[in-house]
Amino acid sequence: MAVPTLAGSAAYAVAENRGMAERSLPTIQEGKGFYATIAMVIVVGYLLNFVHTISPVKALLYAAVLNGLVAPPLIVVLLFICNNRKIVGKNANGWLSNTLGIIAMVLMSLAGGLLIWLLCTGKFRDTARF
């Protein structure tokens, strides 16, 4: 289950980074890099099962943790952009969007800080047996 999720998210990240993602599902001719990335990540995930270095499910878990740690600073940047009238014009955030964004950023920062604290103090044990 983890391999298609990782493949899809990696393909979309590469496509957006290279300016290839004009639509959500490009045709084969338009999205050769997109579909090549999906194929490559699926093959790598498949091969990970045979080398026993890390399971695809554990890789998905680590990717989710990394995304959770990176999200708070990105939320702050997004809030600055969404409140800059030079960038978004009259479509700037209202008070509700700003409040919910700040709450999300604070909660995710606390969760990430708690995870780092648990890891540093040795109180977090990786009990997952994937």
Side-chain angles (χ1 to χ4, degrees):
M1 288 188 323
V3 173
T5 305
L6 289 172
S9 62
Y12 275 107
V14 169
E16 285 182 20
N17 206 5
R18 297 192 172 253
M20 295 186 293
E22 296 293 323
R23 303 181 334 202
S24 60
L25 288 173
T27 63
I28 300 253
Q29 283 74 25
E30 293 173 336
K32 289 180 183 175
F34 176 80
Y35 291 114
T37 304
I38 287 180
M40 182 181 67
V41 173
I42 287 175
V43 168
V44 169
Y46 181 71
L47 292 175
L48 283 175
N49 283 323
F50 296 109
V51 294
H52 300 292
T53 56
I54 185 170
S55 73
V57 174
K58 206 167 225 184
L60 184 63
L61 175 70
Y62 293 147
V65 168
L66 182 62
N67 282 333
L69 293 174
V70 172
L74 293 177
I75 291 173
V76 170
V77 170
L78 188 61
L79 285 172
F80 278 119
I81 291 171
C82 291
N83 285 299
N84 188 336
R85 294 206 183 269
K86 290 180 182 176
I87 297 173
V88 295
K90 64 178 181 158
N91 297 319
N93 270 358
W95 70 270
L96 181 60
S97 296
N98 285 328
T99 303
L100 293 175
I102 290 169
I103 290 171
M105 186 270 305
V106 168
L107 290 175
M108 292 187 78
S109 297
L110 289 173
L114 179 63
L115 175 67
I116 291 170
W117 179 75
L118 289 172
L119 288 171
C120 290
T121 59
K123 296 182 180 187
F124 179 82
R125 293 185 309 143
D126 185 7
T127 57
R129 304 282 184 236
F130 296 113

